[in-house]
Amino acid sequence: MRHFRLLLFILLGSLVTIQAQQPKKYNSSQIYDAIQKLNVLGSVLYVAAHPDDENTRLIAYMANEAKARTAYLSLTRGDGGQNLIGPEIRELLGVIRTQELLAARRVDGGEQLFSRANDFGYSKHPNETLEIWNKDEVLADVVWAIRTFKPDVIINRFDHRTPGTTHGHHTTSAMLSHEAFDLSNDPTQYSSQLELTEIWQPKRLFFNTSWWFYGSREKFEKADKSNMLNFDIGVYYPTRGMSNNEVAALASSQHLCQGFGRLSQRGTQDEYIEFLKGEPLDGTNNIFAGIDTSWNRIEGGKAIGNILNTIEANFNFINPAAHLPQLLEAYKLLQNIKDEHWKNVKTKELKTIIEACTGLYLEASANTPNAAPNSEVTLKIEALNRSNAAINLVSYNLSTIENGISKNMEMAENKRLNFEENIAIPFDMSYTAPYWLNKQSTLGMYSVKEQNLIGLPETPRAVYVDFNLNIEGTPITITKPVVYRYSKPDKGELYRPFEIVPEVSASISDKVFIFENDQQKEIEITVKAGRDAVDGYVQMAYPNDWTVYPSKQKIEIANKGDVQKLIFTVIPPKGQSEGLITPMVNINDEYYTDELVEIDYEHIPYQTVLVPSESKVVRLNIEKRGENIGYIEGAGDVVPESLRQIGYNVTLIKPEQISAENLQNFDAVVVGIRAYNILDELKFKQKYLLDYVHEGGNLIIQYNTNRRLKTDNISPFHLKLSRDRVTDENATVNILDTNHPILNFPNKIGPEDFEGWVQERGLYFPNEWSEEFTPLFSMNDKGESSKEGSLLIAQYGKGNYIYSGLSFFRQFPAGVSGAYRLFINMLSAGKENPAIIKN
């Protein structure tokens, strides 16, 4: 798929990116940090709504300075955002943002949790949010997160007391957290969860406040802070060679699809949390005041703490393996602890430390990155002890077979043991895919019925190896997922997750096919083999009033990973119509209708996602004027492909290519979404675009955010962008000037053209403009004033300047016919007679 080369601003950031997909290898300083963390039995849950909402400074501080077990509960996976690095939107964007959160947690030391809430886009009020989300289910998920993670304290990113002042998802996250704080300890609430967990009462709930919530730094300085705690989050970590804020900046910079790459900061900086409810503060600045976070908090923990605190106080940075006898003694004592929660948490941590101290390297690498059920895979298994400890490899268990494989081999110091195992992938093994996408979702919720899956950041790996070891007389099992390790000459050693895929998948060349008349189109289907020797046929499912031929086509693919391309001819009906077409691949009388989407960016692990293979076909009754369109790409939209669908010749214009000579032959020039936010060159090229308009050109600017514009003269006349938006995709659209040429030529635009829109009407509308502009529509969300800045047009010289905040970038992939008709009219501006603008 598309491959994005990350340009991180410092070498360490590049190392984080490269290592994000490799097993973590601990050095002595990291082992010491892990032991310090092992000796803290305190936990913090941070709660907000989206990926990138989290305060990485505070998460990093709690995880690395307070040494507490720290998790971020993001209610959504961010599906409704925009994508600055590629074309993925909606569910695929949610997969990327999930992995970016995990990448951020690998940097700042936190863990990651979710709910089943679907990010349906911007929401202005919690009332609207909870009309779309299933409140009971999302609240249940927050309660589940509290009961399973068992935080001592919860910190909300947003204020539950101020609905309507920020994104509705934001406030809702705080409201649900505030409510769940008490419900999690009530056995009558969501009692079915108690079959798998137990009630839990956090000690305190806080709000992560700052000057921003007070409106200014001056107001915050004057605010009463007697009910607040503050921390110097600029603390320096000598074992890392970085300050907390530098760690936090690296974590935040993993959110690349949202444009969060940023410079690091250093020096003292205060962070504030406001006490909301729970056990009162005792006058100290300690978030865990009155909470025993030592080993003494659990029965039988004192003896373990005595051992581990001694190791921490006398840590041997030269030879961490010297502590192995004491670590093993603590491990054995830990297995007798009655507190199952802390036993499980600390056993996992202690195993990691023992593995790191002995220099154990345990790996199972497949000879292929993926395999289909019923296929054979060869595993190369490596076991290496890089210490002088007495370690035996007793056996290993493969998750694909019932019985373990006995070895009983001594692991001599630095002597590699290599084995090869041929395994069969069971016929009933589930495909590797994000579990929350396995069933049809609603606008507001993902459907996940398996309670143990709810909240997990990703699907547990189905193929793994349990290494059963005896270390200095102590039996320990260490589990490793099967990976695919390979190399490239220009990259070196690389890792990919090993994944289970269907034996065949199919994709269509485009997600939407627009038929501007009743002429047939040839549509390409690509069939990909997930195993060797695929033999079958493909037929199409399509609407009744459409025609597709041939009825079926033979496929024969010899080798796994190869593809076969087929051409089907699609004939639309005479009149306007729309529907879905789906390739159906028949292999041994079983139909496969999914597409295997591959997401490959360097800063996150390789992802495969199974989605229904379908495309929308739309027969439009449209006319258009002009043929040649220049397009300046912005932040990853598919508008150019959509314009080609309706017969335009679209030329992509790189910013450095913008010149009077290169623009003069286009019937219209379109600037992509957020281009003025991300393309530095437009500051210097804007004059050529405006000159193009002045000399008779037709320029269409799509939405930009009102912050961090690269140029002040985005328009030839006064035009001020705002945060005005209409989030209700069904909001009434009022036409302000029914006689305006844009609404009549070459297609008549009416209210019916705003039916079937998705996610929103538009965003970041201008709220101020000069008299040269003519607004064409007014619209508003429920309870708000009318917004008239969604589409503005002005005559400048001989040409037309059009600014649109309407979300065409969302409507085109959804095949919304009215959006196409309106955009065609915008492209055709000035082609009619008389002139388009009436002064």
Side-chain angles (χ1 to χ4, degrees):
M1 207 179 171
R2 308 141 189 98
H3 200 66
F4 181 69
R5 295 185 178 274
L6 306 176
L7 300 177
L8 294 187
F9 45 85
I10 59 173
L11 176 60
L12 186 55
S14 298
L15 290 174
V16 168
T17 296
I18 293 169
Q19 294 172 354
Q21 303 184 54
Q22 296 182 3
K24 183 173 182 179
K25 303 177 181 69
Y26 287 77
N27 59 37
S28 291
S29 293
Q30 291 168 324
I31 296 173
Y32 176 68
D33 287 341
I35 289 173
Q36 287 185 307
K37 198 175 186 73
L38 184 65
N39 280 327
V40 176
L41 279 70
S43 52
V44 177
L45 182 65
Y46 196 88
V47 181
H50 309 106
D52 74 35
D53 281 347
E54 80 273 25
N55 182 345
T56 55
R57 300 182 302 273
L58 192 51
I59 290 176
Y61 180 90
M62 289 299 165
N64 299 292
E65 176 64 14
K67 304 296 183 184
R69 184 179 181 225
T70 307
Y72 172 42
L73 171 59
S74 175
L75 295 195
T76 77
R77 296 175 186 268
D79 314 67
Q82 285 84 49
N83 185 358
L84 294 183
I85 64 174
E88 297 88 357
I89 58 174
R90 289 305 308 155
E91 289 82 2
L92 295 181
L93 177 59
V95 172
I96 293 174
R97 297 188 73 182
T98 293
Q99 291 299 321
E100 288 185 337
L101 273 175
L102 289 171
R105 300 293 80 78
R106 284 190 290 269
V107 174
D108 62 31
E111 300 175 37
Q112 187 60 52
L113 301 171
F114 291 96
S115 84
R116 290 170 290 176
N118 191 346
D119 179 5
F120 56 83
Y122 192 85
S123 174
K124 293 181 177 178
H125 198 279
N127 291 345
E128 178 195 22
T129 299
L130 293 173
E131 287 176 1
I132 298 175
W133 287 355
N134 183 318
K135 178 188 175 182
D136 188 64
E137 289 186 357
V138 182
L139 181 58
D141 292 354
V142 179
V143 170
W144 171 253
I146 295 171
R147 286 174 172 174
T148 53
F149 188 77
K150 293 180 169 47
D152 294 309
V153 295
I154 298 175
I155 303 174
N156 290 341
R157 182 66 175 114
F158 299 103
D159 191 349
H160 69 286
R161 299 161 296 191
T162 56
T165 60
T166 182
H167 197 317
H169 297 180
H170 292 168
T171 310
T172 300
S173 71
M175 292 167 61
L176 295 180
S177 173
H178 192 271
E179 189 172 351
F181 181 85
D182 296 316
L183 294 181
S184 60
N185 196 41
D186 186 344
T188 68
Q189 300 295 318
Y190 307 110
S191 56
S192 63
Q193 295 180 0
L194 301 180
E195 297 175 8
L196 300 169
T197 187
E198 59 190 5
I199 58 172
W200 180 255
Q201 180 58 64
K203 295 298 189 295
R204 295 188 183 97
L205 177 67
F206 295 92
F207 159 48
N208 185 194
T209 190
S210 71
W211 68 265
W212 188 87
F213 293 97
Y214 283 74
S216 70
R217 296 182 187 276
E218 291 75 16
K219 291 181 180 179
F220 186 60
E221 287 178 4
K222 297 176 182 178
D224 179 8
K225 299 183 180 63
S226 60
N227 208 33
M228 298 182 191
L229 302 181
N230 72 294
F231 313 98
D232 179 5
I233 55 168
V235 61
Y236 178 69
Y237 303 130
T239 57
R240 288 173 173 259
M242 288 191 293
S243 66
N244 185 76
N245 277 346
E246 290 173 291
V247 173
L250 286 175
S252 180
S253 292
Q254 303 307 305
H255 295 296
L256 292 173
C257 73
Q258 300 301 293
F260 266 54
R262 60 188 179 94
L263 293 173
S264 58
Q265 297 178 337
R266 288 153 292 278
T268 296
Q269 182 179 348
D270 282 335
E271 190 76 42
Y272 289 85
I273 57 174
E274 177 189 352
F275 174 75
L276 297 178
K277 64 177 176 177
E279 293 186 3
L281 300 175
D282 64 358
T284 69
N285 201 47
N286 181 8
I287 193 173
F288 294 112
I291 304 170
D292 190 349
T293 60
S294 73
W295 280 99
N296 294 332
R297 85 177 287 172
I298 60 175
E299 183 181 348
K302 183 176 181 180
I304 299 172
N306 289 339
I307 295 169
L308 297 177
N309 285 315
T310 300
I311 294 175
E312 179 182 342
N314 301 280
F315 185 70
N316 189 332
F317 285 88
I318 302 298
N319 181 25
H323 300 296
L324 190 58
Q326 293 76 31
L327 291 169
L328 292 171
E329 183 182 355
Y331 176 84
K332 288 184 285 189
L333 291 173
L334 182 57
Q335 304 319 298
N336 297 320
I337 292 295
K338 295 179 181 179
D339 188 319
E340 289 295 323
H341 171 71
W342 283 113
K343 174 183 174 180
N344 293 334
V345 170
K346 293 303 178 181
T347 292
K348 180 180 177 181
E349 292 181 19
L350 194 47
K351 279 186 180 182
T352 299
I353 292 170
I354 291 171
E355 183 181 356
C357 285
T358 56
L360 270 172
Y361 189 84
L362 305 170
E363 180 181 272
S365 177
N367 64 333
T368 177
N370 52 57
N374 275 338
S375 60
E376 297 284 333
V377 175
T378 300
L379 299 184
K380 292 184 177 180
I381 297 175
E382 179 179 342
L384 176 63
N385 168 25
R386 289 176 285 192
S387 73
N388 60 8
I391 303 178
N392 289 325
L393 175 60
V394 179
S395 63
Y396 48 74
N397 297 74
L398 306 175
S399 60
T400 56
I401 60 177
E402 185 174 350
N403 298 317
I405 298 172
S406 179
K407 289 299 176 182
N408 292 314
M409 299 179 67
E410 179 187 357
M411 296 180 66
E413 183 176 359
N414 218 28
K415 299 295 184 180
R416 186 172 64 248
L417 299 179
N418 291 104
F419 311 98
E420 190 170 286
E421 299 288 347
N422 294 316
I423 64 171
I425 303 300
F427 75 94
D428 58 350
M429 180 164 279
S430 298
Y431 304 136
T432 304
Y435 69 86
W436 61 95
L437 300 180
N438 286 340
K439 297 178 182 177
Q440 183 67 38
S441 63
T442 65
L443 176 63
M445 296 298 297
Y446 285 115
S447 178
V448 182
K449 302 304 182 185
E450 301 84 350
Q451 186 65 54
N452 275 332
L453 286 177
I454 293 173
L456 296 183
E458 53 187 347
T459 306
R461 292 289 162 181
V463 185
Y464 55 86
V465 177
D466 289 329
F467 291 88
N468 302 311
L469 308 171
N470 187 294
I471 304 177
E472 297 285 354
T474 302
I476 293 180
T477 296
I478 297 176
T479 301
K480 297 292 182 180
V482 171
V483 297
Y484 174 59
R485 181 165 64 99
Y486 63 109
S487 66
K488 287 186 176 181
D490 60 336
K491 299 288 185 182
E493 184 178 66
L494 298 170
Y495 282 80
R496 273 180 56 174
F498 174 73
E499 304 188 312
I500 309 301
V501 300
E503 59 181 339
V504 67
S505 59
S507 61
I508 311 179
S509 54
D510 290 288
K511 290 303 178 187
V512 177
F513 292 93
I514 305 297
F515 293 75
E516 56 181 306
N517 51 43
D518 61 0
Q519 297 300 302
Q520 66 186 35
K521 285 189 177 184
E522 292 186 338
I523 292 179
E524 183 179 80
I525 306 298
T526 300
V527 179
K528 184 174 184 179
R531 62 167 173 82
D532 292 338
V534 169
D535 186 355
Y537 64 86
V538 181
Q539 64 187 84
M540 300 291 289
Y542 52 90
N544 290 332
D545 53 344
W546 294 65
T547 302
V548 176
Y549 69 85
S551 60
K552 63 177 64 174
Q553 296 190 56
K554 178 74 174 175
I555 57 166
E556 289 182 298
I557 306 176
N559 299 313
K560 172 188 169 184
D562 285 350
V563 300
Q564 183 175 339
K565 295 182 182 294
L566 308 169
I567 301 295
F568 284 86
T569 300
V570 178
I571 304 173
K574 295 293 184 181
Q576 188 157 318
S577 175
E578 60 183 56
L580 296 174
I581 58 172
T582 297
M584 304 171 63
V585 185
N586 187 300
I587 307 294
N588 297 325
D589 293 327
E590 183 173 353
Y591 282 100
Y592 295 83
T593 59
D594 282 339
E595 174 185 0
L596 188 69
V597 178
E598 299 169 311
I599 300 176
D600 186 11
Y601 294 103
E602 289 185 353
H603 66 306
I604 60 175
Y606 193 95
Q607 300 292 301
T608 58
V609 186
L610 285 172
V611 296
S613 182
E614 59 185 22
S615 292
K616 190 172 184 178
V617 287
V618 181
R619 164 71 169 96
L620 288 178
N621 289 319
I622 57 173
E623 293 186 23
K624 62 185 178 70
R625 298 293 185 272
E627 298 293 333
N628 299 312
I629 307 299
Y631 199 94
I632 301 167
E633 289 186 294
D637 63 70
V638 295
V639 172
E641 291 85 349
S642 301
L643 298 181
R644 293 187 181 108
Q645 282 278 350
I646 50 179
Y648 285 105
N649 300 318
V650 181
T651 300
L652 298 181
I653 306 171
K654 295 181 179 180
E656 61 269 21
Q657 296 173 332
I658 298 173
S659 67
E661 182 179 0
N662 288 341
L663 298 178
Q664 62 183 352
N665 294 323
F666 291 117
D667 294 303
V669 172
V670 182
V671 181
I673 60 173
R674 298 178 71 171
Y676 287 93
N677 297 125
I678 66 172
L679 299 178
D680 292 321
E681 297 94 333
L682 288 184
K683 179 178 182 180
F684 309 102
K685 297 293 185 176
Q686 179 70 352
K687 63 179 181 179
Y688 297 111
L689 293 172
L690 297 183
D691 286 346
Y692 162 76
V693 179
H694 195 269
E695 295 305 312
N698 185 20
L699 179 66
I700 299 172
I701 310 293
Q702 295 179 86
Y703 100 91
N704 292 268
T705 65
N706 62 343
R707 293 187 300 171
R708 300 173 183 172
L709 288 168
K710 301 299 183 181
T711 178
D712 294 330
N713 66 327
I714 191 173
S715 162
F717 308 112
H718 175 65
L719 184 71
K720 182 180 179 182
L721 305 186
S722 73
R723 298 183 65 85
D724 287 351
R725 61 203 302 163
V726 176
T727 61
D728 182 358
E729 64 270 31
N730 298 310
T732 299
V733 176
N734 298 303
I735 297 176
L736 299 177
D737 183 358
T738 58
N739 295 319
H740 197 285
I742 282 283
L743 305 180
N744 292 277
F745 179 83
N747 304 288
K748 177 69 175 178
I749 301 299
E752 66 277 4
D753 289 297
F754 288 93
E755 296 175 359
W757 282 50
V758 298
Q759 186 159 326
E760 62 196 357
R761 289 296 190 196
L763 61 172
Y764 289 97
F765 297 164
N767 63 352
E768 292 182 16
W769 52 84
S770 65
E771 62 181 8
E772 287 85 358
F773 281 102
T774 299
L776 298 185
F777 305 116
S778 69
M779 60 189 74
N780 60 274
D781 283 322
K782 183 179 178 180
E784 293 193 352
S785 62
S786 180
K787 307 294 189 294
E788 296 186 353
S790 64
L791 183 60
L792 303 171
I793 184 165
Q795 185 172 15
Y796 178 56
K798 302 175 185 177
N800 301 292
Y801 176 96
I802 302 173
Y803 189 92
S804 174
L806 296 171
S807 58
F808 291 106
F809 73 102
R810 294 199 188 279
Q811 312 315 315
F812 287 171
V816 178
S817 57
Y820 279 94
R821 287 164 49 81
L822 176 57
F823 207 86
I824 287 171
N825 283 17
M826 293 159 58
L827 293 170
S828 304
K831 300 295 190 296
E832 78 293 334
N833 192 20
I836 188 170
I837 301 301
K838 296 178 290 184
N839 292 316

